[in-house]
Amino acid sequence: MVYNQQPDEEMIRITRTEVLGEHVDDLLMRKSSLEGGSGLTRQHKRRWYYQNWFIFMLAAMIAAIAAWAFIEPKFNDLLYIQGTITDADPSALMPERFTFGSQYLELKVPGRGWIEVDGQTVWLLDRTRYYPKQDDRGEIVNPNDLSVGQEVGLHVDYSEIGWDSLTLAMFVNPNPDPRPGGSTQSLSELSSETAISSVLLFPLVAGLIGLALGAVDGVICRLIRRAIIGGLVGALIGVVGGFVFSLLAGLIYAPINSVALKQSDVVAGEFTALGFILQMAGRALAWGMVGIAAGLGQGIALRSKRLFLYGLLGGALGGLIGGLLFDPLDILILGMHKPSAHWSRLVGLTVIGGTVGVMIGIIELLARDAWLQMTQGPLAGKEFLIFRDLMVLGSSPRSEIYLFNDPLVAPVHAKIRAVGDDCEIEAQDSAYPVLINKRPVNRSRLRHGDEIALGQTIFIFQRRKG
């Protein structure tokens, strides 16, 4: 059937210029975006170094390294003393039970021989080793090789029980370097110093990571006020939360660690497979709780429920992953027969910081609903999460999205507000237009793939698919 056009009807004419115009390409690419293709966003590559997962990872890793550098000089896995042997009995058998008043301590590990260094009696275990290794003496210490008048360095396990103490040598250096002059600390003082460092370790790590995560986005966006407030709140939440969560973590870790140690055949901690798995699980749960404290600061500082949730989930997952990696790194890679786990602790804390930062960024990436990707401007490639129901864009540092170095942007140039499940942009000053897809608007509902131009700065509005 053929319909004939009536003479009085106007014919719609589409010129070649209109067909080949940019707006047609924009419409086609937006249609592709809405259908799940790359569409309009394909033209604008994301700069990986502006992605939040990378920024958060780098900032948190630097913070963790700083925490390690501060606390490690006061942290001792085994206490170290050095001095001259003033008395010795290489043939004495170490008792299986030591009694201290009404208290006693049973040892599963056999030992033979003791030495006295600076008035401190030190028992040698059957597994006491030379450190550094002495190839001509063998790896295990022979008590008969240690003599009165000899200068030795000892890495010891020191326990205070009531008013008494027990000192067990784990590693012996029969040829130590001369100690620098000045007074030396007693084992009791070293033990107290290490105990304080242990208490401060997690709050310090969580506080510095919280400081870094709370401040870094403000630093990148030149929002000094936000960086200061976010950093201070992040540090406070990290320190306080680190104390609280470290106590809870201790309650979780202690019983699991106790069961793991029962799977060990030596005090030094040679675990069976089951013991090793339990040790990893206990540490992962404990560090996961501390990771929560490190990740909450930014959401609280910006009063954003979404960022709070991202920090909560990302911090917990990051801490879990970092905790799982510590023991394999310490025992399987670096080896367990060493007096200190300081390198493992450095790598472990750095991994915790990095994974906390990465996981917060990834959780944000997976859970976000709407965001702006800057395609032209001083931070081209960076993505700005729409984390509040009302967000201001402008040249004022108080704006949620601060557009610095653009003379054509007003202090309060535009506002984006949530309207149900959608977002709407509204111009705030008639002298400073807002262009949507190159057309000026006063107010407009935003669609996925819309180009937003404010002065010389251009964004692409994006929504999560589905």
Side-chain angles (χ1 to χ4, degrees):
M1 183 179 294
V2 178
Y3 293 93
N4 295 322
Q5 182 178 344
Q6 299 298 322
D8 57 344
E9 290 181 355
E10 294 185 3
M11 181 178 295
I12 299 174
R13 298 180 181 276
I14 301 176
T15 67
R16 177 180 177 82
T17 301
E18 290 173 329
V19 171
L20 300 178
E22 290 185 0
H23 69 284
V24 176
D25 293 333
D26 289 344
L27 290 173
L28 290 174
M29 285 187 288
R30 184 175 295 109
K31 180 175 181 294
S32 175
S33 295
L34 292 172
E35 292 174 347
S38 57
L40 199 148
T41 61
R42 184 180 181 182
Q43 291 183 328
H44 309 289
K45 294 183 179 180
R46 290 189 279 181
R47 296 183 181 178
W48 60 270
Y49 51 84
Y50 273 145
Q51 299 303 299
N52 278 351
W53 64 264
F54 177 76
I55 294 172
F56 289 162
M57 178 191 72
L58 187 61
M61 288 175 68
I62 293 173
I65 292 172
W68 174 87
F70 181 83
I71 202 73
E72 189 63 33
K74 303 295 183 181
F75 197 98
N76 300 289
D77 298 282
L78 295 174
L79 305 184
Y80 180 78
I81 58 173
Q82 183 173 321
T84 303
I85 300 176
T86 55
D87 197 3
D89 186 350
S91 61
L93 292 177
M94 187 176 72
E96 295 182 358
R97 171 185 289 197
F98 286 85
T99 303
F100 306 94
S102 60
Q103 303 182 58
Y104 66 90
L105 179 64
E106 290 186 350
L107 298 178
K108 297 180 180 180
V109 186
R112 181 172 64 88
W114 56 264
I115 58 176
E116 185 177 280
V117 177
D118 293 338
Q120 184 74 44
T121 299
V122 182
W123 283 94
L124 303 174
L125 306 176
D126 286 357
R127 296 293 184 91
T128 300
R129 299 172 182 270
Y130 286 111
Y131 187 88
K133 291 182 179 181
Q134 306 290 314
D135 294 334
D136 57 334
R137 297 171 181 260
E139 191 175 6
I140 304 298
V141 172
N142 183 346
N144 293 303
D145 291 339
L146 303 177
S147 57
V148 174
Q150 180 180 358
E151 179 85 5
V152 293
L154 303 170
H155 298 274
V156 301
D157 185 346
Y158 176 78
S159 303
E160 291 185 339
I161 306 172
W163 295 99
D164 214 329
S165 63
L166 175 63
T167 308
L168 305 175
M170 297 298 177
F171 297 94
V172 175
N173 184 356
N175 301 299
D177 295 329
R179 291 182 69 93
S183 61
T184 58
Q185 292 176 286
S186 66
L187 284 175
S188 180
E189 292 170 336
L190 289 171
S191 179
S192 298
E193 188 177 83
T194 296
I196 294 173
S197 300
S198 299
V199 172
L200 294 177
L201 176 63
F202 279 139
L204 179 64
V205 171
L208 287 183
I209 291 177
L211 169 67
L213 294 178
V216 66
D217 195 58
V219 172
I220 295 295
C221 296
R222 313 297 200 275
L223 292 168
I224 304 304
R225 181 173 178 271
R226 180 191 294 182
I228 293 173
I229 294 176
L232 291 177
V233 172
L236 179 62
I237 296 299
V239 170
V240 175
F243 272 113
V244 174
F245 282 116
S246 63
L247 292 176
L248 296 175
L251 295 177
I252 294 174
Y253 177 69
I256 298 177
N257 177 250
S258 177
V259 174
L261 288 176
K262 289 180 180 178
Q263 305 295 321
S264 170
D265 60 356
V266 296
V267 167
E270 292 181 351
F271 295 105
T272 62
L274 177 59
F276 186 64
I277 292 173
L278 289 172
Q279 174 76 359
M280 287 177 56
R283 195 183 302 277
L285 289 173
W287 287 26
M289 296 188 69
V290 177
I292 293 175
L296 295 180
Q298 187 187 35
I300 294 175
L302 296 179
R303 292 174 292 179
S304 169
K305 293 181 180 179
R306 290 185 180 184
L307 295 181
F308 179 87
L309 181 61
Y310 300 158
L312 176 69
L313 296 177
L317 288 173
L320 279 170
I321 295 171
L324 283 172
L325 292 176
F326 180 86
D327 288 296
L329 177 71
D330 182 39
I331 297 176
L332 299 181
I333 298 177
L334 298 180
M336 62 175 297
H337 297 306
K338 58 189 183 305
S340 174
H342 58 279
W343 293 119
S344 299
R345 199 156 31 249
L346 168 61
V347 177
L349 292 178
T350 305
V351 168
I352 280 187
T355 50
V356 166
V358 165
M359 292 312 300
I360 290 176
I362 290 177
I363 292 293
E364 176 185 300
L365 193 67
L366 296 177
R368 63 187 181 177
D369 293 320
W371 63 97
L372 300 176
Q373 181 185 352
M374 184 182 289
T375 58
Q376 181 175 310
L379 297 177
K382 179 171 172 55
E383 296 175 344
F384 297 84
L385 181 70
I386 298 177
F387 59 87
R388 283 183 178 172
D389 291 339
L390 178 63
M391 295 187 63
V392 175
L393 296 82
S395 61
S396 169
R398 293 182 176 273
S399 305
E400 277 72 30
I401 299 180
Y402 175 38
L403 305 180
F404 55 92
N405 292 342
D406 191 338
L408 300 182
V409 172
V412 179
H413 197 116
K415 292 182 179 179
I416 292 180
R417 58 170 50 86
V419 181
D421 294 331
D422 296 321
C423 289
E424 181 180 87
I425 191 168
E426 181 180 2
Q428 298 298 302
D429 191 331
S430 59
Y432 295 89
V434 173
L435 303 182
I436 303 296
N437 303 319
K438 300 180 176 63
R439 296 179 177 86
V441 299
N442 291 323
R443 178 182 296 179
S444 176
R445 189 69 57 92
L446 292 172
R447 298 172 296 175
H448 180 75
D450 276 344
E451 180 187 89
I452 305 170
L454 290 77
Q456 298 172 346
T457 306
I458 298 176
F459 297 94
I460 297 295
F461 175 76
Q462 299 185 51
R463 295 194 65 91
R464 184 158 54 97
K465 296 175 183 178

